[in-house]
């Protein structure tokens, strides 16, 4: 029985199962091609190293996107927090509805963004205060992601170092083999000795 993942042509790369459903196979394949052009793997060992490099780079990009999304998702609550700190809680249902609409519409309607910017300007602030509130509210998650990114970068450096060490070791093997061959008598010298 042949394993499900086996094929006649075994390509050493990240399989589709390693990609999230939101990630592009074409984008990953493009990254692999670019890395292959740069690294120029010469054999199966170097192709394995290349697959690890591609996985590290891809995972780092994924984690960085994740950081951006975490902050973007926190903007809604950050707007609410900033407005409440500056203006207090809405006192009437009408004020509450207006505040809720402003918080919701800030994401998609330019007039809502202008209105919020005007309200912030009254306190000598700009939208940067919302960004600060969003980031600070997610500091623990962002710190965890930063550690994960650092771990991926360390893994990447190890993989690149492994390629370099492998190539240096291979070059040493070739050099040793050439030196041994050079120390051996030539066929003509052997023939002369035997003859």
């Amino acid at each position: 029985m042949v394993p499900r993942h086996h094929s006649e042509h075994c390509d050493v790369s990240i399989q589709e199962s390693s990609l999230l459903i939101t990630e592009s196979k074409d984008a990953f394949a493009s990254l692999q091609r670019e890395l292959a052009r740069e690294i120029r793997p010469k054999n199966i060992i170097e192709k394995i190293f290349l697959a690890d490099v591609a996985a590290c780079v891809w995972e780092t990009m994924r984690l960085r996107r994740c950081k951006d999304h975490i902050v973007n998702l926190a903007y809604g609550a950050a707007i609410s927090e900033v407005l409440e700190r500056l203006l207090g809680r809405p006192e009437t249902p009408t004020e509450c509805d207006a505040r809720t609409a402003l918080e919701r519409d800030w994401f998609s309607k330019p007039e809502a963004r202008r209105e919020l910017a005007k309200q912030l300007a009254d306190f000598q602030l700009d939208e940067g205060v919302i960004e600060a509130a969003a980031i600070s509210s997610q500091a623990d998650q962002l710190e965890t992601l930063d550690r994960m990114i650092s771990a991926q970068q360390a893994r990447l450096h190890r993989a690149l170092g492994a390629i370099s060490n492998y190539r240096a070791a291979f070059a040493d093997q070739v050099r040793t083999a050439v030196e041994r061959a050079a120390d051996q008598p030539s066929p003509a010298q052997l023939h002369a000795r035997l003859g």
Side-chain angles (χ1 to χ4, degrees):
M1 177 180 226
V2 176
R4 218 168 32 133
H5 63 276
H6 180 71
S7 67
E8 264 183 52
H9 175 69
C10 183
D11 183 24
V12 180
S13 64
I14 288 186
Q15 302 303 313
E16 291 177 23
S17 63
S18 297
L19 297 177
L20 301 179
I21 60 173
T22 56
E23 294 177 329
S24 165
K25 290 182 242 177
D26 293 338
F28 182 74
S30 177
L31 172 67
Q32 284 183 308
R33 281 190 303 275
E34 288 298 316
L35 288 169
R37 268 195 280 272
E38 184 71 26
I39 295 172
R40 299 178 191 263
K42 295 172 181 47
N43 55 42
I44 188 67
I45 301 295
E46 290 189 5
K47 287 180 182 179
I48 291 169
F49 290 143
L50 174 65
D52 198 34
V53 167
C56 291
V57 170
W58 192 260
E59 181 69 15
T60 300
M61 291 167 42
R62 178 188 292 152
L63 292 169
R64 287 184 174 151
R65 279 193 315 271
C66 187
K67 283 180 64 175
D68 295 340
H69 293 313
I70 284 172
V71 173
N72 287 334
L73 283 171
Y75 267 81
I79 293 169
S80 179
E81 176 192 338
V82 167
L83 288 176
E84 190 166 314
R85 287 174 77 181
L86 296 177
L87 305 173
R89 289 185 183 265
E91 295 179 4
T92 67
T94 303
E95 288 176 356
C96 187
D97 290 345
R99 173 92 51 92
T100 300
L102 180 62
E103 292 167 4
R104 178 193 64 236
D105 294 345
W106 179 84
F107 290 94
S108 59
K109 297 183 179 174
E111 61 273 9
R113 285 194 87 142
R114 285 191 295 273
E115 174 57 30
L116 183 57
K118 181 178 167 288
Q119 289 183 22
L120 293 173
D122 290 344
F123 294 90
Q124 298 180 359
L125 297 169
D126 60 21
E127 288 179 330
V129 72
I130 298 167
E131 181 179 307
I135 291 171
S136 66
S137 74
Q138 302 303 310
D140 290 344
Q141 289 184 31
L142 296 174
E143 184 179 347
T144 298
L145 286 168
D146 280 338
R147 282 194 303 271
M148 293 169 72
I149 289 168
S150 292
Q152 283 301 319
Q153 289 172 333
R155 182 176 162 212
L156 174 62
H157 291 296
R158 284 192 305 272
L160 292 171
I163 294 170
S164 178
N165 291 341
Y166 175 80
R167 287 181 174 172
F170 182 70
D172 286 343
Q173 288 174 344
V174 170
R175 191 176 310 107
T176 300
V178 167
E179 288 170 358
R180 276 193 212 134
D183 290 342
Q184 298 297 318
S186 70
Q189 291 170 328
L190 282 176
H191 186 268
R193 285 184 195 167
L194 296 174

